[in-house]
Amino acid sequence: MGLAVGIDIGGTKIAGGVVDDDGNILQMDRRSTPSRGPDALEKVVIDLVNEYKSEYDIEAVGIGFAGFVDEKRSRVLLAPNLGWSDEPLQLAIESKVNIPVVVENDANAAAWGEYRFSGAQLPEDMVCVTVGTGIGGGLIFGGNLYRGAHGLAAEFGHLNIEPGGRLCACGNRGCWEQYASGNALVREARLLAAERRNEAQVLLDLGDGTPEGVEGQHVTIAARKDDPVALAAFDSLARWLGQGIADVTSLLDPGCFVIGGGVSEAGDLLLGATRRAFLSALSGRENRPIPEIRLAELGNRAGLVGAADLARH
């Protein structure tokens, strides 16, 4: 098999790269995700693909997209964090680059990338949870990517974990991603910084000195410097993340969970507290096998690599 392009479209950034049959990335680039609608985003993707085509022999393009993708891997049915609905993304890209294009949910692509190309011996039944702008999920059952009857399986971010809770961009209230995502981490850090300014000096100094200036990377940096407010924000996120993983375990009984997405770059800041919250919430924990919770080995590259491989095959 030849080379494929993988595109990973998130709520804030687009990663693109040229991937070989062994999952190696030969070239990789990042762009900001346009907020002006589908046309602007599609142009960024088209320009990236055409740039790669000018230098490599590309046979297919795989696009991992943060949203609901139909069973034909062609249309974006809903992208809550971008405000899209029923967008024919495959046709829009394929008609301009003149090579086959496959669209897949970004967390599905990340799950497949981890399963196929991480160095770990992952079980054939595993769950990938991507913690970024929102929360995504991917399921590997029997060594195959499980997409559900309509391509919409594993939309974990919209599990109702707090009835009547925070309003989600999908229109419902209390969705998991409103409590355990990158956006939730920043929201919590800003609220805590406003309430506990005297304890948040490290965190505030990384931004513009105000709670409103706190960004995601500031929370991680400050937490690594033992800023108590940043650490409290991570603890809050980890409690919600561990609770949700416990619920998914009760439903699916996977062999392991792989945690990916931008927030996973915090490493043990996230993982240790999440494991503790998970074990505390897991039903029957003293009388059942406990699935491992581990960080994605490929990190933020998993979605790009997985999308390329799905397109190639």
Side-chain angles (χ1 to χ4, degrees):
M1 305 293 287
L3 303 177
V5 169
I7 304 287
D8 186 12
I9 300 174
T12 60
K13 64 182 179 299
I14 298 171
V18 179
V19 183
D20 69 16
D21 201 33
D22 295 319
N24 300 308
I25 300 175
L26 308 185
Q27 181 178 335
M28 184 173 175
D29 300 274
R30 293 185 184 276
R31 303 284 189 271
S32 296
T33 302
S35 58
R36 300 186 302 276
D39 290 346
L41 187 149
E42 289 160 1
K43 184 179 187 308
V44 171
V45 174
I46 290 165
D47 288 347
L48 268 175
V49 174
N50 283 332
E51 178 183 326
Y52 295 143
K53 281 180 60 183
S54 69
E55 300 182 36
Y56 301 92
D57 184 15
I58 304 297
E59 65 177 28
V61 177
I63 299 174
F65 193 89
F68 296 7
V69 177
D70 72 355
E71 71 275 14
K72 295 181 179 179
R73 290 176 163 151
S74 63
R75 302 183 75 88
V76 176
L77 302 178
L78 178 67
N81 292 316
L82 291 176
W84 289 23
S85 62
D86 200 25
E87 178 64 24
L89 185 60
Q90 179 196 42
L91 178 62
I93 305 299
E94 196 170 82
S95 64
K96 300 295 184 183
V97 300
N98 298 315
I99 50 177
V101 173
V102 169
V103 181
E104 182 56 90
N105 172 268
D106 61 338
N108 283 351
W112 185 248
E114 281 293 324
Y115 180 71
R116 284 270 289 135
F117 297 112
S118 75
Q121 291 294 316
L122 296 174
E124 290 190 347
D125 296 288
M126 56 163 273
V127 173
C128 180
V129 179
T130 57
V131 187
T133 303
I135 288 182
L139 302 175
I140 304 295
F141 286 165
N144 297 305
L145 178 64
Y146 179 76
R147 305 183 71 247
H150 307 100
L152 306 179
E155 283 294 343
F156 296 140
H158 301 287
L159 292 174
N160 189 280
I161 201 166
E162 180 77 347
R166 295 171 183 162
L167 180 65
C168 183
C170 75
N172 288 335
R173 288 187 175 273
C175 291
W176 191 17
E177 68 177 40
Q178 293 304 308
Y179 300 88
S181 64
N183 281 349
L185 177 68
V186 172
R187 181 194 298 115
E188 185 71 12
R190 289 174 176 175
L191 287 171
L192 291 173
E195 295 172 357
R196 299 162 54 181
R197 279 179 177 267
N198 292 338
E199 301 176 71
Q201 202 56 56
V202 172
L203 177 62
L204 292 172
D205 286 348
L206 290 168
D208 61 7
T210 70
E212 294 76 17
V214 171
E215 301 294 343
Q217 68 270 24
H218 302 153
V219 187
T220 301
I221 294 169
R224 286 178 174 151
K225 295 181 178 181
D226 294 325
D227 180 279
V229 167
L231 288 169
F234 264 105
D235 282 344
S236 174
L237 182 149
R239 285 196 304 273
W240 286 107
L241 188 58
Q243 175 66 61
I245 290 174
D247 291 345
V248 173
T249 299
S250 295
L251 179 66
L252 299 177
D253 184 32
C256 82
F257 285 86
V258 175
I259 310 299
V263 178
S264 71
E265 293 179 356
D268 286 339
L269 278 174
L270 177 69
L271 199 60
T274 297
R275 284 171 172 159
R276 290 191 293 273
F278 162 70
L279 287 172
S280 177
L282 182 62
S283 176
R285 55 189 172 275
E286 296 178 354
N287 299 286
R288 63 175 299 159
I290 307 297
E292 179 186 8
I293 302 176
R294 60 186 301 153
L295 293 174
E297 188 173 304
L298 300 184
N300 279 335
R301 298 172 293 138
L304 184 158
V305 170
D309 194 60
L310 288 168
R312 183 185 293 109
H313 296 288

